[in-house]
Amino acid sequence: MWVFEDVEAMAAAIADCVAGELDQAVGRSGTASLVLAGGSTPESSYRQLASRPVDWSRVDVFWGDERCVPPDAPESNYRMALGALLAPARVPTERLHRIEGEVGPRLAAERYERLLRTRMAGDWPRFDVVTVGVGEDGHVASVFPGDAESAGGRWVVPVERDAPEISRVSLTLDALGAARRLLVLATGARKAQIVARALAGKEGALPVVRLAQRAPGLIWFLDRVAAGEAS
Ligand code: 6PG
C-alpha cells in the first residue's frame, strides 16, 4: 500500500509506476498491455502518464469496464481516457481496444470477450498493468456487491440495468485479478470507510476484497484522507 500527501503526488507516483511496468513489459516481450479504469479518480494519473516516456506504439490499451453509452457521451470511460491520456500521448488508434458499449451490454460483452481471446492466450488474460478504482459500496470495475461470484470462465460480462441506471460491460474479477500488476486507486474522505473495510479483508462479499484475494500483484494507491490518516 502506498499513501500520498495529496492527489497530485499520488497521480505522479501512479504515472511513474505504470510507465515503469509498461517499459519492463516491452523489454520482456516487445509489447505491453494496459487496462484503464473509469470514474473520476484515475483522471489525474492518466494526465500525468501522458507525459511519461512510454513507447505507446507497443502498448495495447484496454478497458476494465464501460458504460453502455456512445463513446462521446459524458458518462463514457473511453471519453475520459481520450481526453486525459490517449489524445495527449498520441496513442496510435490501432492500439486502442474500446468496449463498444453503445451496441448494448450483451453484444458488447460478447465482442470484447472475443477480442480479448484473440489477443491473450491462456485461461485468463495476463494484462501487464490493470488500474481500477473502488466504489463506496466496494465495487470494482462494474462488478457490484451481490453480482454472481463466478462468471463461468468468462472474461467479460454484461451488467444489465433498467433505466434510469445505465447498463455496463465489465471484465470479471478473475480477468482483472490475473494481472501482473494491479493498481487500486482511492482518494478522498468518501473512500476512507471502504478502504478500511477492504484492507481488513474480512468481508468476502465485497468485490474489492474478492479481487484482492485473486490478485497477488495488487498495490493500493491512496491519498492520506482515503487511508484514514487525515480528515
Ligand atoms: C466506472 C468505474 C467504477 C469506478 C468507481 C469509483 O465505470 O464507474 O469503473 O468502478 O472506478 O465507481 O469511481 P470514482 O473514481 O469516480 O470514485
Side-chain angles (χ1 to χ4, degrees):
M1 175 172 77
W2 294 89
V3 180
F4 298 88
E5 192 60 36
D6 55 43
V7 171
E8 276 315 305
M10 179 173 130
I14 289 168
D16 292 341
C17 176
V18 172
E21 294 282 352
L22 294 176
D23 191 48
Q24 286 176 35
V26 169
R28 274 196 308 269
S29 67
T31 61
S33 52
L34 169 63
V35 175
L36 299 180
S40 56
T41 303
E43 188 164 359
S44 53
S45 304
Y46 295 165
R47 288 193 189 288
Q48 295 237 16
L49 180 58
S51 64
R52 294 301 188 274
V54 174
D55 182 355
W56 291 107
S57 71
R58 294 176 177 268
V59 180
D60 284 304
V61 180
F62 303 91
W63 273 261
D65 68 333
E66 185 55 278
R67 291 85 178 273
C68 291
V69 295
D72 60 354
E75 302 85 355
S76 165
N77 291 341
Y78 166 80
R79 181 175 182 264
M80 180 274 278
L82 181 67
L85 171 62
L86 308 176
R90 295 188 172 82
V91 181
T93 307
E94 61 271 17
R95 286 292 183 182
L96 302 182
H97 309 290
R98 186 176 68 82
I99 298 174
E100 299 168 298
E102 67 275 19
V103 302
R106 293 187 188 185
L107 180 55
E110 282 169 27
R111 286 183 179 176
Y112 212 58
E113 179 101 22
R114 202 175 310 127
L115 179 146
L116 290 181
R117 288 182 183 275
T118 63
R119 307 189 72 91
M120 303 285 217
D123 292 339
W124 302 110
R126 288 277 286 157
F127 296 109
D128 293 303
V129 186
V130 171
T131 52
V132 295
V134 59
E136 292 175 64
D137 61 357
H139 77 260
V140 287
S142 289
V143 181
F144 291 85
D147 288 356
E149 168 78 26
S150 161
R154 282 180 296 170
W155 297 0
V156 187
V157 289
V159 183
E160 297 179 88
R161 294 288 188 270
D162 297 325
E165 283 195 81
I166 298 174
S167 290
R168 294 155 172 250
V169 178
S170 184
L171 266 62
T172 61
L173 298 179
D174 286 318
L176 293 166
R180 288 189 175 83
R181 177 63 69 210
L182 173 67
L183 284 67
V184 184
L185 286 56
T187 59
R190 284 188 312 116
K191 300 295 175 72
Q193 188 186 58
I194 191 59
V195 167
R197 290 170 64 192
L199 293 176
K202 295 187 176 67
E203 298 173 73
L206 289 175
V208 64
V209 172
R210 287 159 43 199
L211 178 61
Q213 290 165 348
R214 287 160 167 80
L218 183 149
I219 303 177
W220 282 89
F221 280 80
L222 305 169
D223 69 351
R224 291 187 69 229
V225 177
E229 295 177 4
S231 54

